[in-house]
Each structure stands twice: as structure tokens, then as C-alpha cells.
Amino acid sequence: MSRLAKRGAGKYKVDKNLKDSYNKYLEKFNFDSQSSKFSGSNPKNLALSWEEYKQIAHLALDKIMQELLYKSKSITLPYNLGELRIQKKKMDIGLLHTNNNLKIDWGHYQKTGKIIKHLNDHRDNCRYKFYWLCKKGPSGKSYYKFEPLRERKRELAKIIKTTNTDYFE
């Protein structure tokens, strides 16, 4: 039996990250003290530190993921950016088998050396995935893609295997 190779570099290059968002946040506190609404205090002192900002952002994103994963809600994003949800899709086993598009069960392959395909019998032959529905959004939206963290994909798989939570079709 062969071991799977280590993961390589990511497929997608990130242009903006949380640090860029924090720098944009800090720009709101760069104004003259004469025009300040704050009496006698430096407005820079009122801004959150990087650690506080990061903690709040992570808590907010965790809350959104909890709503998506455990309560099977659809989250509407601000600024016409569409909505996020978990999508359930029935698999056409015959068509997928003839086109050889069924996913391989690598865990079973590593244990036994035999290749078998995932049929998702435990969930009535349905596949589940994170889905970003953006009908009217920013110009050039075709250049954007929502790709959740691997940890969140694994969490979704665990929920599907252990609970009876149902998602949108």
C-alpha cells in the first residue's frame, strides 16, 4: 500500500487578508485631534489592538459557521454579495459510474489496498457542499470563489455522518 503524498502549496493566491482589513480599520482613527469628537483623548487609543480585532473577527466567523453547519441556515451576506449555505444534491449513480466520476474512498484504500467508490448510502446517495449563491453582486464576480477551510469541510462531513441534520436541496 502506498501513502498519499504531502499536501503542496495552495491552489488560490490570497490578495487580501485579515491584516489588510485591520489596517483599513485603523485608517478610521487617523484624523486631526482638533477635529476630533473625543475630548482630550487620543483617538488612536480607542482603536482595538490587533489581537482583539483578530479575536472578534474569528468569533464572528465561527458564529456564522455554527449557523450554517448546525442549524442549516442560509446566511445573507451584506453589500449584495449573495448568500452562503450548505447545498444537498442527489447523485445520479448510473451516470457518475459510467463517466467514472465517483469519488474514491482513500481511507479504505490505505487500509486494504482495494479501490472502492463513495456512494453515500448513509445519506440516500446525496452529496453536500458549501454553496455561495451570488446572482447580483460586484462586477467581475466570476473571478471570486468561496472555498471554506479544510477544517470546516471535515466538520461538515462529521456532522453528516453522525447527525440527522438536513440541508437545502
Side-chain angles (χ1 to χ4, degrees):
M1 284 179 281
S2 64
R3 294 285 296 161
L4 295 176
K6 287 190 176 186
R7 290 171 37 107
K11 288 193 275 187
Y12 305 105
K13 186 174 180 173
V14 177
D15 292 341
K16 301 288 183 184
N17 57 21
L18 191 58
K19 193 68 169 176
D20 295 324
S21 171
Y22 179 67
N23 291 336
K24 188 82 167 164
Y25 164 75
L26 285 180
E27 286 176 10
K28 293 183 179 183
F29 293 93
N30 288 338
F31 48 82
D32 296 334
S33 59
Q34 292 88 12
S35 65
S36 172
K37 296 185 247 179
F38 310 104
S39 58
S41 65
N42 185 359
K44 265 289 203 223
N45 295 338
L46 298 175
L48 295 172
S49 69
W50 163 243
E51 291 301 320
E52 293 169 329
Y53 185 84
K54 185 169 68 169
Q55 183 180 14
I56 290 171
H58 284 242
L59 286 173
L61 293 173
D62 280 342
K63 180 70 175 163
I64 289 172
M65 281 296 155
Q66 295 298 321
E67 295 290 317
L68 277 174
L69 293 170
Y70 293 99
K71 297 182 181 176
S72 68
K73 290 188 176 179
S74 176
I75 307 294
T76 303
L77 301 174
Y79 303 110
N80 250 355
L81 290 177
E83 63 182 63
L84 286 176
R85 64 181 180 201
I86 308 292
Q87 184 183 35
K88 169 184 175 180
K89 192 170 184 182
K90 188 85 169 161
M91 297 186 330
D92 183 359
I93 300 296
L95 180 65
L96 290 172
H97 190 62
T98 57
N99 292 342
N100 203 18
N101 286 341
L102 288 172
K103 305 290 183 190
I104 295 173
D105 186 351
W106 291 109
H108 184 268
Y109 174 73
Q110 285 185 342
K111 290 177 188 170
T112 63
K114 295 180 183 176
I115 293 179
I116 64 169
K117 308 283 182 152
H118 282 291
L119 298 177
N120 295 344
D121 291 331
H122 60 284
R123 292 295 258 185
D124 297 328
N125 299 330
C126 291
R127 284 186 178 168
Y128 298 83
K129 67 176 184 175
F130 286 90
Y131 184 67
W132 176 37
L133 178 65
C134 185
K135 290 182 180 174
K136 51 183 181 187
S139 60
K141 68 180 178 184
S142 61
Y143 297 114
Y144 296 95
K145 179 179 181 173
F146 174 72
E147 185 73 30
L149 291 174
R150 187 174 191 197
E151 171 188 346
R152 298 301 182 182
K153 290 182 185 179
R154 298 294 185 257
E155 191 174 354
L156 174 61
K158 184 176 128 192
I159 291 169
I160 289 170
K161 289 176 184 170
T162 59
T163 65
N164 250 356
T165 307
D166 202 17
Y167 297 101
F168 297 100
E169 204 159 329

